[in-house]
Amino acid sequence: MLELAHYINGGDVKGTSGRFGDVFNPATGEVQARVPLASAAEIDAVVADAAKAQVAWGATNPQKRARVMMAMVGLLNRDMDKLAEALSREHGKTIPDAKGDIQRGLEVIEYCIGAPQLLKGEYTDSAGPGIDMYSMKQPLGVVAAIMPFNFPAMMPLWHVGPALACGNSVILKPSERDPSLPHMLGELFHEAGLPAGVFQVVNGDKVAVDALLDNDTIQGVSFVGSTPIAQYIYARATANGKRAQCFGGAKNHMIIMPDADMDQVADALIGSSFGAAGERCMAVSVAVPVGDDTADRMIEKLVPRMEKLRVAPYTDGDDVDFGPVVTREAKERILGLIESGIEQGADLVVDNRDFKLQGYEDGFFVGAHLFDKVTKDMDIYKTEIFGPVLCTVRAQSYEEALGLAMDHEYGNGTAIFTRDGDTARDFASRVNIGMVGINVPIPVPLAYHTFGGWKKSVFGDLNQHGTDSFKFYTRTKTVTARWPSGIKEGGEFNFKSMD
Ligand code: NAD
């Protein structure tokens, strides 16, 4: 059995805890590797090394740090095919999806090349007699990034890139489900010129996470994952005096107005609800057509497209629409929620509960499902299913549709499909959700904007990437300096002395 390693101090390090997790091939259901799960003692040792390495890295000028980011962009592009294959092998998503995962991470590293500009402070000349005032943005020190399985390249890069560019050392604790890609990021950053110890990739489960949260040297914690864990990590990290930003789950509504282009709507739902087997925090999981006629037309367009979806392993080629879900537990959880939807009275319009793929009977495949006549009290509406299941909730008016999105406890993303500018503008302005699409189903902001939800989709104040990440990973220090021998009050600057 292949035994994976941590990436510590610039090299592979075997686990010493004696505890391991299974890494599956989601297409076959077989265990393909085992990943070491770090103990608290291993975590503390790694953090101590990271703290030592941070001193020189934090003092390195921002332009040199930017050059590491520049080199990293080149390496990610160079190894794109190899990285995508490693990612798909453990996650199960298609190769084009895996490349998208890496690409959206790479774009944040490109943004980090602007570190010298982004880290500039402010300066007030002559704030008083002989007094100048200036601010600097200094790294926090050692920070931890605890990341989910669903974007094993993008999510780590969104956090590790800005944290490093700001001069911090980073401990990445990736998901134990697909740890190989994060490990490769450690190797690539090292090749890009990052000194050993500045970026440590340590595998683990709750034991490792708790050790990070309780370690006094760790100054900041970034978390991305499910809402209950996000809430727990935020509470424990902040109680321990750390800065924390924790991003949680989602239930993204797409409102479909009667005037929407229904072909565009059907295409959008196919990609956003079933792409990556629905394992995206920005997946559309609730369609809200306004009016029964709109709902009927939407379903009529959607069903034949759903029947054409090709569900298969990533190795079957680039025309595969989506692959398996990540684990057997995830598959059973999704199928259990589908059963609850039927029991609670929703109409299962597209039913693929008996989906089986020849030759891959033990794989974690779940076919695409469509529910109609879902109501607010049903578990399939309240819960994040995180699988290829779309719920239709029929609304009788725009206000009712808006109210549904606004009353849901999650607030990550939402979209409206309409040809009416007034409605779209009203929606974008009033909805209490962090990311809004207008005729765009998955409105993921680009690297130079910021990404983050509202309500139970986030705990903390600052978003991911963009200017917010440079705020999160630095502390501001403001210096007031007096030089009594400088220009006297009321004196004039002597231009002649500059000749
Ligand atoms: P998860 O919460 O199960 O795990 C995330 C991380 O937390 C992993 O590293 C895991 O090892 C660790 N963890 C799990 N249980 C823990 C515990 N009890 N104590 C301490 N640490 C623990 O999430 P997941 O299944 O890996 O990812 C899917 C979730 O992530 C979905 O809910 C999805 O919506 C969310 N997500 C959110 C965003 C966002 O930006 N809001 C982005 C991507 C994914």
Side-chain angles (χ1 to χ4, degrees), residues 69-104:
M69 298 296 147
M70 224 181 293
M72 184 64 177
V73 168
L75 296 177
L76 289 168
N77 277 315
R78 181 195 72 187
D79 287 357
M80 181 64 82
D81 290 342
K82 191 168 98 182
L83 292 167
E85 217 281 329
L87 195 162
S88 294
R89 199 166 56 230
E90 291 180 355
H91 180 286
K93 64 173 73 172
T94 65
I95 293 288
D97 246 359
K99 287 187 177 170
D101 188 331
I102 298 159
Q103 176 63 28
R104 291 308 290 262

PDB file of all heavy atoms in Angstrom, residues 69-104:
ATOM      1  N   MET A  69       6.487  34.036  -6.212  1.00  0.00           N
ATOM      2  CA  MET A  69       5.121  33.849  -6.745  1.00  0.00           C
ATOM      3  C   MET A  69       5.170  33.751  -8.279  1.00  0.00           C
ATOM      4  O   MET A  69       4.467  32.946  -8.888  1.00  0.00           O
ATOM      5  CB  MET A  69       4.210  35.023  -6.344  1.00  0.00           C
ATOM      6  CG  MET A  69       4.036  35.175  -4.858  1.00  0.00           C
ATOM      7  SD  MET A  69       3.184  33.746  -4.136  1.00  0.00           S
ATOM      8  CE  MET A  69       3.970  33.671  -2.541  1.00  0.00           C
ATOM      9  N   MET A  70       6.005  34.602  -8.871  1.00  0.00           N
ATOM     10  CA  MET A  70       6.130  34.605 -10.337  1.00  0.00           C
ATOM     11  C   MET A  70       6.636  33.236 -10.815  1.00  0.00           C
ATOM     12  O   MET A  70       6.104  32.657 -11.761  1.00  0.00           O
ATOM     13  CB  MET A  70       7.114  35.694 -10.752  1.00  0.00           C
ATOM     14  CG  MET A  70       6.638  36.501 -11.927  1.00  0.00           C
ATOM     15  SD  MET A  70       7.820  37.766 -12.404  1.00  0.00           S
ATOM     16  CE  MET A  70       7.812  38.895 -11.060  1.00  0.00           C
ATOM     17  N   ALA A  71       7.647  32.723 -10.121  1.00  0.00           N
ATOM     18  CA  ALA A  71       8.194  31.407 -10.493  1.00  0.00           C
ATOM     19  C   ALA A  71       7.134  30.329 -10.288  1.00  0.00           C
ATOM     20  O   ALA A  71       7.014  29.393 -11.092  1.00  0.00           O
ATOM     21  CB  ALA A  71       9.434  31.108  -9.652  1.00  0.00           C
ATOM     22  N   MET A  72       6.356  30.464  -9.235  1.00  0.00           N
ATOM     23  CA  MET A  72       5.318  29.460  -8.932  1.00  0.00           C
ATOM     24  C   MET A  72       4.278  29.409 -10.048  1.00  0.00           C
ATOM     25  O   MET A  72       3.811  28.323 -10.423  1.00  0.00           O
ATOM     26  CB  MET A  72       4.656  29.800  -7.593  1.00  0.00           C
ATOM     27  CG  MET A  72       3.641  28.784  -7.129  1.00  0.00           C
ATOM     28  SD  MET A  72       4.397  27.166  -6.779  1.00  0.00           S
ATOM     29  CE  MET A  72       2.976  26.261  -6.172  1.00  0.00           C
ATOM     30  N   VAL A  73       3.916  30.559 -10.589  1.00  0.00           N
ATOM     31  CA  VAL A  73       2.953  30.587 -11.705  1.00  0.00           C
ATOM     32  C   VAL A  73       3.510  29.769 -12.870  1.00  0.00           C
ATOM     33  O   VAL A  73       2.806  28.951 -13.470  1.00  0.00           O
ATOM     34  CB  VAL A  73       2.653  32.045 -12.141  1.00  0.00           C
ATOM     35  CG1 VAL A  73       1.893  32.082 -13.456  1.00  0.00           C
ATOM     36  CG2 VAL A  73       1.871  32.767 -11.051  1.00  0.00           C
ATOM     37  N   GLY A  74       4.798  29.965 -13.165  1.00  0.00           N
ATOM     38  CA  GLY A  74       5.433  29.217 -14.252  1.00  0.00           C
ATOM     39  C   GLY A  74       5.406  27.722 -13.992  1.00  0.00           C
ATOM     40  O   GLY A  74       5.121  26.922 -14.897  1.00  0.00           O
ATOM     41  N   LEU A  75       5.668  27.329 -12.752  1.00  0.00           N
ATOM     42  CA  LEU A  75       5.727  25.900 -12.427  1.00  0.00           C
ATOM     43  C   LEU A  75       4.336  25.256 -12.478  1.00  0.00           C
ATOM     44  O   LEU A  75       4.191  24.116 -12.924  1.00  0.00           O
ATOM     45  CB  LEU A  75       6.347  25.702 -11.037  1.00  0.00           C
ATOM     46  CG  LEU A  75       7.808  26.153 -10.901  1.00  0.00           C
ATOM     47  CD1 LEU A  75       8.303  25.975  -9.470  1.00  0.00           C
ATOM     48  CD2 LEU A  75       8.707  25.375 -11.858  1.00  0.00           C
ATOM     49  N   LEU A  76       3.333  25.994 -12.024  1.00  0.00           N
ATOM     50  CA  LEU A  76       1.962  25.450 -12.081  1.00  0.00           C
ATOM     51  C   LEU A  76       1.553  25.230 -13.537  1.00  0.00           C
ATOM     52  O   LEU A  76       0.937  24.221 -13.880  1.00  0.00           O
ATOM     53  CB  LEU A  76       0.968  26.386 -11.384  1.00  0.00           C
ATOM     54  CG  LEU A  76       1.068  26.443  -9.851  1.00  0.00           C
ATOM     55  CD1 LEU A  76       0.255  27.620  -9.292  1.00  0.00           C
ATOM     56  CD2 LEU A  76       0.588  25.145  -9.203  1.00  0.00           C
ATOM     57  N   ASN A  77       1.919  26.178 -14.394  1.00  0.00           N
ATOM     58  CA  ASN A  77       1.619  26.018 -15.827  1.00  0.00           C
ATOM     59  C   ASN A  77       2.409  24.863 -16.426  1.00  0.00           C
ATOM     60  O   ASN A  77       1.880  24.055 -17.184  1.00  0.00           O
ATOM     61  CB  ASN A  77       1.919  27.308 -16.584  1.00  0.00           C
ATOM     62  CG  ASN A  77       0.758  28.289 -16.475  1.00  0.00           C
ATOM     63  OD1 ASN A  77      -0.400  27.898 -16.624  1.00  0.00           O
ATOM     64  ND2 ASN A  77       1.056  29.544 -16.210  1.00  0.00           N
ATOM     65  N   ARG A  78       3.686  24.767 -16.045  1.00  0.00           N
ATOM     66  CA  ARG A  78       4.543  23.695 -16.581  1.00  0.00           C
ATOM     67  C   ARG A  78       3.963  22.325 -16.244  1.00  0.00           C
ATOM     68  O   ARG A  78       3.940  21.424 -17.071  1.00  0.00           O
ATOM     69  CB  ARG A  78       5.951  23.837 -15.963  1.00  0.00           C
ATOM     70  CG  ARG A  78       6.946  22.801 -16.458  1.00  0.00           C
ATOM     71  CD  ARG A  78       8.190  22.728 -15.568  1.00  0.00           C
ATOM     72  NE  ARG A  78       7.902  22.108 -14.276  1.00  0.00           N
ATOM     73  CZ  ARG A  78       8.758  22.030 -13.267  1.00  0.00           C
ATOM     74  NH1 ARG A  78       9.962  22.572 -13.376  1.00  0.00           N
ATOM     75  NH2 ARG A  78       8.417  21.443 -12.135  1.00  0.00           N
ATOM     76  N   ASP A  79       3.484  22.174 -14.986  1.00  0.00           N
ATOM     77  CA  ASP A  79       3.060  20.852 -14.502  1.00  0.00           C
ATOM     78  C   ASP A  79       1.549  20.650 -14.550  1.00  0.00           C
ATOM     79  O   ASP A  79       1.038  19.713 -13.917  1.00  0.00           O
ATOM     80  CB  ASP A  79       3.543  20.660 -13.051  1.00  0.00           C
ATOM     81  CG  ASP A  79       5.033  20.429 -12.981  1.00  0.00           C
ATOM     82  OD1 ASP A  79       5.680  20.362 -14.051  1.00  0.00           O
ATOM     83  OD2 ASP A  79       5.564  20.322 -11.864  1.00  0.00           O
ATOM     84  N   MET A  80       0.849  21.508 -15.280  1.00  0.00           N
ATOM     85  CA  MET A  80      -0.617  21.476 -15.257  1.00  0.00           C
ATOM     86  C   MET A  80      -1.189  20.064 -15.480  1.00  0.00           C
ATOM     87  O   MET A  80      -2.058  19.605 -14.730  1.00  0.00           O
ATOM     88  CB  MET A  80      -1.162  22.462 -16.301  1.00  0.00           C
ATOM     89  CG  MET A  80      -2.649  22.571 -16.386  1.00  0.00           C
ATOM     90  SD  MET A  80      -3.422  23.218 -14.891  1.00  0.00           S
ATOM     91  CE  MET A  80      -3.224  24.980 -15.074  1.00  0.00           C
ATOM     92  N   ASP A  81      -0.697  19.355 -16.501  1.00  0.00           N
ATOM     93  CA  ASP A  81      -1.264  18.035 -16.820  1.00  0.00           C
ATOM     94  C   ASP A  81      -1.029  17.040 -15.684  1.00  0.00           C
ATOM     95  O   ASP A  81      -1.929  16.311 -15.277  1.00  0.00           O
ATOM     96  CB  ASP A  81      -0.651  17.482 -18.112  1.00  0.00           C
ATOM     97  CG  ASP A  81      -1.122  18.279 -19.322  1.00  0.00           C
ATOM     98  OD1 ASP A  81      -2.139  18.990 -19.202  1.00  0.00           O
ATOM     99  OD2 ASP A  81      -0.461  18.214 -20.373  1.00  0.00           O
ATOM    100  N   LYS A  82       0.207  17.044 -15.181  1.00  0.00           N
ATOM    101  CA  LYS A  82       0.567  16.122 -14.103  1.00  0.00           C
ATOM    102  C   LYS A  82      -0.258  16.421 -12.839  1.00  0.00           C
ATOM    103  O   LYS A  82      -0.762  15.519 -12.172  1.00  0.00           O
ATOM    104  CB  LYS A  82       2.066  16.303 -13.818  1.00  0.00           C
ATOM    105  CG  LYS A  82       2.683  15.280 -12.925  1.00  0.00           C
ATOM    106  CD  LYS A  82       4.205  15.376 -12.947  1.00  0.00           C
ATOM    107  CE  LYS A  82       4.680  16.160 -11.743  1.00  0.00           C
ATOM    108  NZ  LYS A  82       6.109  16.356 -11.664  1.00  0.00           N
ATOM    109  N   LEU A  83      -0.396  17.702 -12.535  1.00  0.00           N
ATOM    110  CA  LEU A  83      -1.150  18.102 -11.341  1.00  0.00           C
ATOM    111  C   LEU A  83      -2.624  17.706 -11.472  1.00  0.00           C
ATOM    112  O   LEU A  83      -3.233  17.195 -10.539  1.00  0.00           O
ATOM    113  CB  LEU A  83      -1.037  19.619 -11.127  1.00  0.00           C
ATOM    114  CG  LEU A  83       0.356  20.139 -10.743  1.00  0.00           C
ATOM    115  CD1 LEU A  83       0.415  21.663 -10.878  1.00  0.00           C
ATOM    116  CD2 LEU A  83       0.725  19.740  -9.319  1.00  0.00           C
ATOM    117  N   ALA A  84      -3.177  17.951 -12.665  1.00  0.00           N
ATOM    118  CA  ALA A  84      -4.599  17.652 -12.870  1.00  0.00           C
ATOM    119  C   ALA A  84      -4.854  16.147 -12.705  1.00  0.00           C
ATOM    120  O   ALA A  84      -5.846  15.728 -12.110  1.00  0.00           O
ATOM    121  CB  ALA A  84      -5.046  18.127 -14.253  1.00  0.00           C
ATOM    122  N   GLU A  85      -3.935  15.348 -13.203  1.00  0.00           N
ATOM    123  CA  GLU A  85      -4.099  13.889 -13.104  1.00  0.00           C
ATOM    124  C   GLU A  85      -4.067  13.451 -11.632  1.00  0.00           C
ATOM    125  O   GLU A  85      -4.911  12.667 -11.181  1.00  0.00           O
ATOM    126  CB  GLU A  85      -2.985  13.202 -13.900  1.00  0.00           C
ATOM    127  CG  GLU A  85      -3.418  11.936 -14.622  1.00  0.00           C
ATOM    128  CD  GLU A  85      -3.505  10.724 -13.722  1.00  0.00           C
ATOM    129  OE1 GLU A  85      -2.729  10.644 -12.743  1.00  0.00           O
ATOM    130  OE2 GLU A  85      -4.349   9.856 -13.990  1.00  0.00           O
ATOM    131  N   ALA A  86      -3.105  14.011 -10.887  1.00  0.00           N
ATOM    132  CA  ALA A  86      -2.983  13.644  -9.465  1.00  0.00           C
ATOM    133  C   ALA A  86      -4.228  14.077  -8.698  1.00  0.00           C
ATOM    134  O   ALA A  86      -4.701  13.367  -7.799  1.00  0.00           O
ATOM    135  CB  ALA A  86      -1.740  14.302  -8.872  1.00  0.00           C
ATOM    136  N   LEU A  87      -4.759  15.215  -9.076  1.00  0.00           N
ATOM    137  CA  LEU A  87      -5.952  15.750  -8.402  1.00  0.00           C
ATOM    138  C   LEU A  87      -7.173  14.858  -8.677  1.00  0.00           C
ATOM    139  O   LEU A  87      -7.888  14.443  -7.761  1.00  0.00           O
ATOM    140  CB  LEU A  87      -6.175  17.184  -8.900  1.00  0.00           C
ATOM    141  CG  LEU A  87      -7.122  18.110  -8.144  1.00  0.00           C
ATOM    142  CD1 LEU A  87      -6.863  19.562  -8.529  1.00  0.00           C
ATOM    143  CD2 LEU A  87      -8.569  17.781  -8.351  1.00  0.00           C
ATOM    144  N   SER A  88      -7.384  14.545  -9.960  1.00  0.00           N
ATOM    145  CA  SER A  88      -8.550  13.737 -10.337  1.00  0.00           C
ATOM    146  C   SER A  88      -8.470  12.329  -9.739  1.00  0.00           C
ATOM    147  O   SER A  88      -9.485  11.748  -9.380  1.00  0.00           O
ATOM    148  CB  SER A  88      -8.648  13.632 -11.863  1.00  0.00           C
ATOM    149  OG  SER A  88      -8.921  14.890 -12.407  1.00  0.00           O
ATOM    150  N   ARG A  89      -7.265  11.805  -9.645  1.00  0.00           N
ATOM    151  CA  ARG A  89      -7.086  10.430  -9.159  1.00  0.00           C
ATOM    152  C   ARG A  89      -7.651  10.262  -7.745  1.00  0.00           C
ATOM    153  O   ARG A  89      -8.216   9.236  -7.410  1.00  0.00           O
ATOM    154  CB  ARG A  89      -5.591  10.090  -9.173  1.00  0.00           C
ATOM    155  CG  ARG A  89      -5.289   8.614  -9.148  1.00  0.00           C
ATOM    156  CD  ARG A  89      -3.851   8.316  -9.503  1.00  0.00           C
ATOM    157  NE  ARG A  89      -2.917   9.028  -8.634  1.00  0.00           N
ATOM    158  CZ  ARG A  89      -1.893   9.765  -9.079  1.00  0.00           C
ATOM    159  NH1 ARG A  89      -1.666   9.874 -10.359  1.00  0.00           N
ATOM    160  NH2 ARG A  89      -1.090  10.382  -8.243  1.00  0.00           N
ATOM    161  N   GLU A  90      -7.508  11.289  -6.915  1.00  0.00           N
ATOM    162  CA  GLU A  90      -8.001  11.157  -5.534  1.00  0.00           C
ATOM    163  C   GLU A  90      -9.367  11.806  -5.341  1.00  0.00           C
ATOM    164  O   GLU A  90     -10.164  11.363  -4.521  1.00  0.00           O
ATOM    165  CB  GLU A  90      -6.982  11.781  -4.568  1.00  0.00           C
ATOM    166  CG  GLU A  90      -5.700  10.976  -4.499  1.00  0.00           C
ATOM    167  CD  GLU A  90      -4.658  11.569  -3.559  1.00  0.00           C
ATOM    168  OE1 GLU A  90      -4.879  12.671  -3.020  1.00  0.00           O
ATOM    169  OE2 GLU A  90      -3.604  10.915  -3.377  1.00  0.00           O
ATOM    170  N   HIS A  91      -9.636  12.891  -6.074  1.00  0.00           N
ATOM    171  CA  HIS A  91     -10.914  13.579  -5.911  1.00  0.00           C
ATOM    172  C   HIS A  91     -12.026  12.943  -6.741  1.00  0.00           C
ATOM    173  O   HIS A  91     -13.165  12.824  -6.295  1.00  0.00           O
ATOM    174  CB  HIS A  91     -10.762  15.061  -6.295  1.00  0.00           C
ATOM    175  CG  HIS A  91     -12.030  15.838  -6.150  1.00  0.00           C
ATOM    176  ND1 HIS A  91     -13.076  15.708  -7.027  1.00  0.00           N
ATOM    177  CD2 HIS A  91     -12.434  16.739  -5.211  1.00  0.00           C
ATOM    178  CE1 HIS A  91     -14.075  16.493  -6.651  1.00  0.00           C
ATOM    179  NE2 HIS A  91     -13.710  17.114  -5.550  1.00  0.00           N
ATOM    180  N   GLY A  92     -11.689  12.557  -7.986  1.00  0.00           N
ATOM    181  CA  GLY A  92     -12.682  11.956  -8.873  1.00  0.00           C
ATOM    182  C   GLY A  92     -13.235  12.909  -9.912  1.00  0.00           C
ATOM    183  O   GLY A  92     -13.947  12.489 -10.822  1.00  0.00           O
ATOM    184  N   LYS A  93     -12.922  14.221  -9.813  1.00  0.00           N
ATOM    185  CA  LYS A  93     -13.487  15.168 -10.793  1.00  0.00           C
ATOM    186  C   LYS A  93     -12.804  14.995 -12.152  1.00  0.00           C
ATOM    187  O   LYS A  93     -11.725  14.398 -12.244  1.00  0.00           O
ATOM    188  CB  LYS A  93     -13.413  16.612 -10.296  1.00  0.00           C
ATOM    189  CG  LYS A  93     -12.036  17.182 -10.080  1.00  0.00           C
ATOM    190  CD  LYS A  93     -12.077  18.689  -9.752  1.00  0.00           C
ATOM    191  CE  LYS A  93     -12.569  19.039  -8.375  1.00  0.00           C
ATOM    192  NZ  LYS A  93     -12.427  20.458  -8.015  1.00  0.00           N
ATOM    193  N   THR A  94     -13.440  15.506 -13.217  1.00  0.00           N
ATOM    194  CA  THR A  94     -12.907  15.329 -14.560  1.00  0.00           C
ATOM    195  C   THR A  94     -11.615  16.141 -14.725  1.00  0.00           C
ATOM    196  O   THR A  94     -11.371  17.094 -13.969  1.00  0.00           O
ATOM    197  CB  THR A  94     -13.927  15.811 -15.610  1.00  0.00           C
ATOM    198  OG1 THR A  94     -14.097  17.225 -15.451  1.00  0.00           O
ATOM    199  CG2 THR A  94     -15.263  15.111 -15.466  1.00  0.00           C
ATOM    200  N   ILE A  95     -10.838  15.804 -15.745  1.00  0.00           N
ATOM    201  CA  ILE A  95      -9.575  16.518 -15.975  1.00  0.00           C
ATOM    202  C   ILE A  95      -9.824  18.012 -16.287  1.00  0.00           C
ATOM    203  O   ILE A  95      -9.156  18.874 -15.714  1.00  0.00           O
ATOM    204  CB  ILE A  95      -8.738  15.823 -17.081  1.00  0.00           C
ATOM    205  CG1 ILE A  95      -8.251  14.451 -16.596  1.00  0.00           C
ATOM    206  CG2 ILE A  95      -7.573  16.695 -17.550  1.00  0.00           C
ATOM    207  CD1 ILE A  95      -7.147  14.476 -15.537  1.00  0.00           C
ATOM    208  N   PRO A  96     -10.801  18.357 -17.157  1.00  0.00           N
ATOM    209  CA  PRO A  96     -11.035  19.797 -17.369  1.00  0.00           C
ATOM    210  C   PRO A  96     -11.418  20.517 -16.077  1.00  0.00           C
ATOM    211  O   PRO A  96     -10.994  21.654 -15.832  1.00  0.00           O
ATOM    212  CB  PRO A  96     -12.200  19.824 -18.374  1.00  0.00           C
ATOM    213  CG  PRO A  96     -12.121  18.509 -19.092  1.00  0.00           C
ATOM    214  CD  PRO A  96     -11.601  17.526 -18.092  1.00  0.00           C
ATOM    215  N   ASP A  97     -12.186  19.846 -15.218  1.00  0.00           N
ATOM    216  CA  ASP A  97     -12.551  20.441 -13.923  1.00  0.00           C
ATOM    217  C   ASP A  97     -11.323  20.606 -13.032  1.00  0.00           C
ATOM    218  O   ASP A  97     -11.175  21.612 -12.326  1.00  0.00           O
ATOM    219  CB  ASP A  97     -13.539  19.498 -13.211  1.00  0.00           C
ATOM    220  CG  ASP A  97     -14.896  20.144 -13.083  1.00  0.00           C
ATOM    221  OD1 ASP A  97     -15.058  21.286 -13.518  1.00  0.00           O
ATOM    222  OD2 ASP A  97     -15.805  19.463 -12.558  1.00  0.00           O
ATOM    223  N   ALA A  98     -10.457  19.577 -13.056  1.00  0.00           N
ATOM    224  CA  ALA A  98      -9.238  19.640 -12.233  1.00  0.00           C
ATOM    225  C   ALA A  98      -8.348  20.788 -12.705  1.00  0.00           C
ATOM    226  O   ALA A  98      -7.763  21.520 -11.901  1.00  0.00           O
ATOM    227  CB  ALA A  98      -8.488  18.306 -12.314  1.00  0.00           C
ATOM    228  N   LYS A  99      -8.283  20.972 -14.025  1.00  0.00           N
ATOM    229  CA  LYS A  99      -7.462  22.072 -14.550  1.00  0.00           C
ATOM    230  C   LYS A  99      -8.058  23.421 -14.140  1.00  0.00           C
ATOM    231  O   LYS A  99      -7.334  24.377 -13.841  1.00  0.00           O
ATOM    232  CB  LYS A  99      -7.339  21.969 -16.072  1.00  0.00           C
ATOM    233  CG  LYS A  99      -6.415  20.825 -16.476  1.00  0.00           C
ATOM    234  CD  LYS A  99      -6.134  20.801 -17.950  1.00  0.00           C
ATOM    235  CE  LYS A  99      -5.144  19.665 -18.254  1.00  0.00           C
ATOM    236  NZ  LYS A  99      -4.985  19.399 -19.672  1.00  0.00           N
ATOM    237  N   GLY A 100      -9.388  23.493 -14.120  1.00  0.00           N
ATOM    238  CA  GLY A 100     -10.051  24.718 -13.663  1.00  0.00           C
ATOM    239  C   GLY A 100      -9.733  24.991 -12.202  1.00  0.00           C
ATOM    240  O   GLY A 100      -9.500  26.140 -11.803  1.00  0.00           O
ATOM    241  N   ASP A 101      -9.708  23.940 -11.398  1.00  0.00           N
ATOM    242  CA  ASP A 101      -9.380  24.029  -9.970  1.00  0.00           C
ATOM    243  C   ASP A 101      -7.968  24.642  -9.807  1.00  0.00           C
ATOM    244  O   ASP A 101      -7.761  25.590  -9.027  1.00  0.00           O
ATOM    245  CB  ASP A 101      -9.438  22.577  -9.445  1.00  0.00           C
ATOM    246  CG  ASP A 101      -9.314  22.404  -7.951  1.00  0.00           C
ATOM    247  OD1 ASP A 101      -8.665  23.234  -7.320  1.00  0.00           O
ATOM    248  OD2 ASP A 101      -9.848  21.406  -7.437  1.00  0.00           O
ATOM    249  N   ILE A 102      -7.020  24.129 -10.575  1.00  0.00           N
ATOM    250  CA  ILE A 102      -5.638  24.620 -10.490  1.00  0.00           C
ATOM    251  C   ILE A 102      -5.558  26.049 -11.040  1.00  0.00           C
ATOM    252  O   ILE A 102      -4.924  26.925 -10.452  1.00  0.00           O
ATOM    253  CB  ILE A 102      -4.688  23.682 -11.268  1.00  0.00           C
ATOM    254  CG1 ILE A 102      -4.719  22.278 -10.650  1.00  0.00           C
ATOM    255  CG2 ILE A 102      -3.257  24.227 -11.277  1.00  0.00           C
ATOM    256  CD1 ILE A 102      -4.246  21.176 -11.577  1.00  0.00           C
ATOM    257  N   GLN A 103      -6.243  26.281 -12.159  1.00  0.00           N
ATOM    258  CA  GLN A 103      -6.188  27.590 -12.813  1.00  0.00           C
ATOM    259  C   GLN A 103      -6.700  28.714 -11.893  1.00  0.00           C
ATOM    260  O   GLN A 103      -6.091  29.769 -11.785  1.00  0.00           O
ATOM    261  CB  GLN A 103      -7.012  27.541 -14.116  1.00  0.00           C
ATOM    262  CG  GLN A 103      -7.124  28.860 -14.864  1.00  0.00           C
ATOM    263  CD  GLN A 103      -5.787  29.390 -15.369  1.00  0.00           C
ATOM    264  OE1 GLN A 103      -4.870  28.613 -15.631  1.00  0.00           O
ATOM    265  NE2 GLN A 103      -5.674  30.709 -15.466  1.00  0.00           N
ATOM    266  N   ARG A 104      -7.836  28.451 -11.213  1.00  0.00           N
ATOM    267  CA  ARG A 104      -8.395  29.511 -10.358  1.00  0.00           C
ATOM    268  C   ARG A 104      -7.493  29.752  -9.134  1.00  0.00           C
ATOM    269  O   ARG A 104      -7.492  30.845  -8.567  1.00  0.00           O
ATOM    270  CB  ARG A 104      -9.818  29.180  -9.911  1.00  0.00           C
ATOM    271  CG  ARG A 104     -10.871  29.208 -11.010  1.00  0.00           C
ATOM    272  CD  ARG A 104     -10.908  30.486 -11.842  1.00  0.00           C
ATOM    273  NE  ARG A 104     -11.386  31.668 -11.168  1.00  0.00           N
ATOM    274  CZ  ARG A 104     -12.630  32.170 -11.237  1.00  0.00           C
ATOM    275  NH1 ARG A 104     -13.541  31.587 -11.953  1.00  0.00           N
ATOM    276  NH2 ARG A 104     -12.956  33.272 -10.608  1.00  0.00           N
TER     277      ARG A 104
END
